[in-house]
């Protein structure tokens, strides 16, 4: 592709742009052909350090290295794939890689990959010489609609997920919906769980559109995917703008995550994040119904569409109820020793607006719903 | 000491309070008896995690643990002392210690110690669950007048000092000038180097007062120390407020540090930070004179008072000139491969206001001044 040709892309009908406050999110089919120019525009630097993983790099890294090289020295730092590698060790190795490559304060980090790459590269950027810019180029559905938006970065420890990290909003998010085609069907399904979450927490019409478009979304059909990614980004960006530091409304994004994180942890990360969130959303909706916070039928409607999407909707029998309840205590959202839940009031609306969008729930009820 | 008695301390004449923008700095003799109340006021939390080191903890940790216990669960995390332990490994161990102690997001970290403890505990706080408050209780002169002010936190890597870190302003800084008495004379002298730096970069009268008060300061005489700490904090806080992210005026605080960091690194940290900065200030003032930026005699006046304070003022013969020049390239202030210096124009005024308060200097000139 020539420079002239690439400058005419993307066509207006296949591209969306969302203002996320201090940065913009561009969603388009084929956007990867524009990455270098958009990165250099959003975060001009002396050195560009691309962080990617062994799954994603073979597909997309080489053209990005070549095109970024027109803007300055480029280094690439490839990590193993998977949540098991989202650790302080990998963070330290990537940081040392940047230092070895001669990166100084005038470096822009480029995160090219899924949620693990985005979280880890974001934390490298947040802490490298006390903070350099990061541009997020998410290549998974999950990363596009969730992980890359909102500035949360971090790594896991043996004690739990994302226990170490920083708020470090990106300089830009560049989402090429065509990259979703290289994901496995299981990964695509897992990403959809977060899209349905956005529908439940903020927009009943969007939830209904996702129900209707489910076959196209499972096929990674570009226009359906683009519309879903754009609407999810709008919802998440709006919530984060209202409450970056998660003192209030941002907590609604934790729907499905208090139990989801615990399930993921107890499964030893055998469950994908989106799978764990799918189960967590159904069970937390059930808790909300039992507490009289949600309309009856809410859990059922969520459960049906997630099952149609091929996602799990109940606790895997191998995971012990006690272990899951214990794991909820490690949740960052636990305050004064009490575990807090953000619960739905129905499709499109969350409960507990007047108590900061989260509530403590008795372990006994959590046990019953898990059993 | 009873609660009633402690509430009447400190007497107005022996205490100073400086508004540092988002937090306040309290400087007083005997302030350690007030730590718990002031910490709980500035950053109320469910859990208080004290970070200290093996030198400082035996002097001051026990009363702090006991008095903080009235406000909530307290844990204490003691690290080895010295710059060699300001590492990612120590950071990870302290973080895991907090997790083991059951700390959640509603934790306040208390840094009780010198600059190493403050930088490391600050970075733990900056990254623990994406950021919890830290209260700095500096116990060394260096930490009181420099390290605890301004929000810079971080750790060293094999490649250099403070290459990994975050901006994380404290919730409060509580400086008890009486704690300086437990420092070795070498540590007190090293702290004075940064006080003289503040005089050079912003206040000729303050520089002259430090010259006049030198014997009292070397004896850690409380009222002389209190006045020096308070004026240095005012100068540093004012510079940081004007430019937190070091895009301009904050660079003036790097006076003496481009060469100072390089000397410290090449010495294998055998030089104390303040000792390296003392040498760096004299040599950088000489560079400024050679470039025609500083009045003749500036380097001489700085050199004389630092020598009277017992600080080194020239390159130790064992450290190779080439190795020092090479080490300057690792400086975070290097941009586009050029090493930048913040240079004095005289006592009380810095050069290069119209070029962002820093300038590139030819390696040749640096070689000559070091030789």
């Amino acid at each position: 592709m020539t420079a002239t040709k690439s400058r005419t892309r993307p066509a207006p009908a296949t591209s969306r742009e969302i203002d996320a406050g201090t940065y913009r999110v561009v969603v388009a089919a084929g956007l990867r052909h524009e990455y270098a120019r958009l990165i250099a525009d959003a975060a001009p630097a002396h050195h560009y350090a691309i962080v990617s993983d062994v799954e994603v790099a073979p597909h997309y890294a080489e053209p990005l290295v070549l095109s970024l090289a027109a803007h300055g020295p480029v280094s690439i730092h490839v990590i193993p794939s998977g949540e098991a590698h989202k650790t302080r060790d990998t963070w330290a190795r990537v940081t040392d890689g940047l230092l070895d490559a001669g990166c100084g304060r005038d470096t822009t980090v480029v995160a090219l990959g899924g949620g693990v790459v985005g979280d880890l590269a974001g934390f490298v950027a947040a802490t490298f010489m006390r903070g350099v810019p990061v541009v997020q180029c998410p290549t998974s559905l999950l990363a596009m609609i969730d992980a890359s938006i909102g500035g949360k970065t971090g790594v896991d420890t043996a004690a739990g997920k994302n226990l170490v990290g920083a708020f470090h909003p990106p300089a830009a998010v560049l989402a090429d919906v065509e990259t979703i085609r290289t994901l496995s069907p299981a990964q695509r399904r897992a990403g959809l769980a977060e899209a349905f979450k956005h529908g439940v927490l903020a927009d009943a019409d969007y939830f209904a559109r996702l129900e209707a478009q489910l076959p196209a979304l499972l096929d990674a059909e570009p226009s359906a995917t683009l519309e879903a990614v754009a609407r999810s980004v709008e919802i998440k960006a709006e919530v984060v703008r209202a409450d970056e530091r998660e003192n209030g409304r941002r907590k609604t994004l934790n729907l499905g995550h208090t139990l989801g994180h615990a399930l993921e942890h107890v499964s030893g990360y055998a469950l994908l994040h989106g799978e764990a969130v799918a189960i967590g959303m159904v069970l937390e909706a059930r808790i909300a119904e039992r507490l009289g916070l949600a309309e009856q039928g809410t859990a059922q409607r969520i459960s049906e569409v997630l099952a149609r999407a091929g996602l799990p909707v109940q606790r895997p029998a191998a995971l012990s109820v006690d272990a899951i309840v214990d794991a909820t205590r490690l949740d960052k959202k636990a305050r004064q020793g009490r575990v807090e839940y953000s619960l739905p009031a129905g499709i499109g609306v969350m409960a507990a607006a007047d108590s900061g969008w989260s509530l403590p729930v008795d372990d006994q009820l959590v046990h019953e719903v898990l059993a």
Side-chain angles (χ1 to χ4, degrees), chain A residues 284-296:
Chain A
E284 292 180 11
R286 224 162 259 155
I287 288 171
E289 289 183 19
R290 295 278 294 270
L291 291 172
L293 296 169
E295 302 158 31
Q296 296 299 313

Side-chain angles (χ1 to χ4, degrees), chain A residues 270-287:
Chain A
L271 282 173
L272 292 178
H273 178 69
E275 292 171 341
V277 168
I279 304 169
M281 250 193 300
V282 173
L283 297 179
E284 292 180 11
R286 224 162 259 155
I287 288 171

Side-chain angles (χ1 to χ4, degrees), chain A residues 170-193:
Chain A
V173 179
L174 310 175
D176 181 351
V177 293
E178 287 179 3
T179 61
I180 290 169
R181 292 194 196 155
T182 47
L183 296 177
S184 69
Q187 288 169 314
R188 278 186 226 158
R189 288 195 291 266
L192 283 176

Side-chain angles (χ1 to χ4, degrees), chain A residues 14-341:
Chain A
T14 55
S15 131
R16 294 281 298 279
E17 210 174 301
I18 297 113
D19 175 2
T22 57
Y23 57 97
R24 65 176 184 156
V25 182
V26 186
V27 187
L31 192 68
R32 64 192 181 283
H33 306 297
E34 306 287 322
Y35 278 162
R37 180 178 60 78
L38 294 168
I39 291 164
D41 276 0
H46 175 59
H47 186 118
Y48 297 90
I50 302 165
V51 180
S52 191
D53 73 16
V54 294
E55 301 281 344
V56 173
H59 293 290
Y60 309 116
E62 193 181 332
L64 178 55
V65 170
L66 294 176
S67 54
L68 263 180
H71 301 274
V74 179
S75 57
I76 177 150
H77 310 271
V78 178
I79 65 173
S81 74
E83 188 82 29
H85 298 281
K86 204 179 104 180
T87 61
R88 289 176 290 201
D89 279 351
T90 308
W91 163 79
R93 274 202 300 276
V94 172
T95 299
D96 288 342
L98 265 67
L99 292 168
D100 289 346
C103 294
R105 248 186 221 177
D106 48 356
T107 296
T108 288
V109 172
V110 178
L112 176 69
V116 168
V117 166
D119 285 3
L120 186 121
F123 189 49
V124 168
T127 55
F128 189 74
M129 308 220 171
R130 299 202 187 92
V132 298
V134 63
V135 174
Q136 296 281 354
C137 299
T139 61
S140 75
L141 186 56
L142 183 71
M144 285 180 199
I145 69 176
D146 188 39
S148 66
I149 312 297
K152 285 189 178 179
T153 73
V155 295
D156 307 332
T157 81
K161 279 190 69 167
N162 298 320
L163 294 177
V164 171
F167 285 95
H168 191 61
V173 179
L174 310 175
D176 181 351
V177 293
E178 287 179 3
T179 61
I180 290 169
R181 292 194 196 155
T182 47
L183 296 177
S184 69
Q187 288 169 314
R188 278 186 226 158
R189 288 195 291 266
L192 283 176
E194 297 277 0
F196 281 107
K197 184 192 81 175
H198 291 136
V200 175
L201 72 91
D203 186 344
D205 288 345
Y206 176 47
F207 188 89
R209 286 201 302 278
L210 290 169
E211 285 178 319
Q213 295 274 304
L214 188 55
L217 290 166
L218 289 169
D219 280 350
E221 198 276 303
S223 73
T225 306
L226 190 142
E227 288 307 317
V229 170
R231 182 62 191 134
S232 270
V233 168
E234 280 173 3
I235 290 170
K236 178 154 184 185
E238 192 202 323
V239 170
V240 171
R241 279 176 82 155
D243 171 30
E244 192 197 10
R245 293 280 163 163
E246 198 168 318
N247 297 311
R249 197 174 153 209
R250 186 167 186 165
K251 290 184 188 173
T252 61
L253 296 172
N254 291 323
L255 168 63
H257 281 65
T258 303
L259 282 174
H261 277 154
L263 285 155
E264 202 179 356
H265 184 62
V266 173
S267 80
Y269 299 97
L271 282 173
L272 292 178
H273 178 69
E275 292 171 341
V277 168
I279 304 169
M281 250 193 300
V282 173
L283 297 179
E284 292 180 11
R286 224 162 259 155
I287 288 171
E289 289 183 19
R290 295 278 294 270
L291 291 172
L293 296 169
E295 302 158 31
Q296 296 299 313
T298 302
Q300 187 58 29
R301 186 164 166 209
I302 297 170
S303 176
E304 273 172 11
V305 72
L306 294 176
R308 271 176 57 212
L311 286 160
V313 293
Q314 47 193 337
R315 170 180 63 86
L319 305 184
S320 122
V321 172
D322 286 342
I324 297 165
V325 174
D326 282 353
T328 61
R329 284 186 213 300
L330 283 171
D331 199 275
K332 288 190 298 304
K333 296 176 284 298
R335 288 204 176 242
Q336 310 202 339
R338 300 185 316 174
V339 184
E340 299 269 336
Y341 288 75

